[in-house]
Amino acid sequence: MSALAEYLNDLIRIERIPSIRELGKLAGVSHVAVGKILKDETKDPTQEVLLKLAVPLHADRKKLLRLAGYVVDITPEQSTSRPDTSDVYLSLPPILDRMFRKKRLQQSAQIAMFTGGALTVDEIDQLRRGVPPTAFDEERLVRFFHKFPLEDIQEYYKAAHVPLPQQYQDLETDLRDVLKRVRTSTDGSPEALEYVVQLAKEIFERQNGESGK
């Protein structure tokens, strides 16, 4: 048995996942594909599949990729072999943790209540483990983020290498236009600019709150 298969089978026992079919369901991967990896019948498992398996298994993502033969801890430009996309899954949790700490949120259940149930507790757990935004319904994810600062949301999507949803792009465009007008009419008064930014955030939050009802 390969080191990869042995590592995954050990995690299955530790997490007490009853079957390959159940693991596939939890990870969103075909149980047939999972079975082939666990039995060393797949020569070259993809990073996407491995990182999906890492979520329910609480696996060390870097170790998982190394055991599969992927190069990690170097930039994509330095890689002369298989490309590394694990940085997405590793960089997102710290960004989210900072966002939640600003609102004094620690538990996923607290976060679910704060965001009005836009995502379930299980989905928030997945989000916090590094599952990218493309794995979630975009409209619900927009509702989830609507109480957080726009600059943090921009940082999150940039780290995920995913374009900002159109609602955020529209807000950014409108905000820039308003700020330009205020700057022209007030000679760039910091108080006026701060007021516009705060007002824009409140309007955006209110609109998203109403659309989520």
Side-chain angles (χ1 to χ4, degrees):
M1 181 181 292
S2 70
L4 173 64
E6 185 175 350
Y7 179 56
L8 289 172
N9 278 291
D10 285 344
L11 291 176
I12 289 172
R13 286 191 290 272
I14 292 171
E15 296 297 327
R16 297 182 179 180
I17 297 177
S19 67
I20 292 175
R21 186 178 295 274
E22 180 65 17
L23 175 57
K25 182 179 178 181
L26 292 171
V29 176
S30 164
H31 71 278
V32 175
V34 176
K36 288 182 177 180
I37 294 173
L38 295 176
K39 297 174 184 176
D40 286 332
E41 295 175 2
T42 298
K43 182 179 179 181
D44 191 25
T46 67
Q47 290 192 45
E48 181 182 5
V49 168
L50 291 173
L51 291 170
K52 284 184 177 180
L53 289 174
V55 175
L57 292 174
H58 297 90
D60 181 322
R61 293 173 176 82
K62 286 189 176 182
K63 179 178 180 179
L64 188 63
L65 293 174
R66 288 195 190 99
L67 291 176
Y70 286 93
V71 178
V72 296
D73 291 333
I74 62 174
T75 64
E77 292 78 9
Q78 293 171 315
S79 177
T80 57
S81 55
R82 296 151 71 180
D84 176 27
T85 59
S86 65
D87 62 310
V88 171
Y89 292 80
L90 297 170
S91 64
L92 298 181
I95 294 173
L96 290 172
D97 286 344
R98 287 197 299 272
M99 291 173 64
F100 299 149
R101 282 200 303 270
K102 288 179 182 178
K103 301 292 183 179
R104 299 183 180 179
L105 301 170
Q106 296 181 343
Q107 304 299 324
S108 293
Q110 287 180 301
I111 298 168
M113 292 182 63
F114 178 77
T115 54
L119 296 179
T120 66
V121 172
D122 287 341
E123 288 172 328
I124 294 171
D125 283 339
Q126 291 181 41
L127 201 68
R128 299 179 78 179
R129 290 176 195 146
V131 175
T134 51
F136 302 90
D137 178 76
E138 183 177 288
E139 183 179 345
R140 292 174 60 216
L141 197 58
V142 167
R143 295 209 320 264
F144 173 82
F145 279 130
H146 83 274
K147 287 190 175 181
F148 297 96
L150 179 60
E151 56 268 26
D152 291 343
I153 299 169
Q154 290 172 322
E155 181 187 6
Y156 172 79
Y157 276 92
K158 182 178 180 180
H161 305 298
V162 175
L164 270 174
Q166 191 60 46
Q167 289 189 52
Y168 296 128
Q169 295 182 37
D170 293 342
L171 175 64
E172 187 175 17
T173 300
D174 293 343
L175 183 57
R176 284 178 179 174
D177 182 57
V178 172
L179 287 175
K180 183 178 180 180
R181 295 183 185 184
V182 172
R183 188 179 295 113
T184 301
S185 62
T186 64
D187 294 326
S189 166
E191 293 79 10
L193 295 177
E194 183 179 350
Y195 170 75
V196 172
V197 171
Q198 184 60 39
L199 182 61
K201 289 181 178 180
E202 290 176 1
I203 292 173
F204 181 68
E205 292 178 1
R206 187 161 57 249
Q207 288 177 339
N208 278 273
E210 291 172 355
S211 64
K213 292 179 180 178

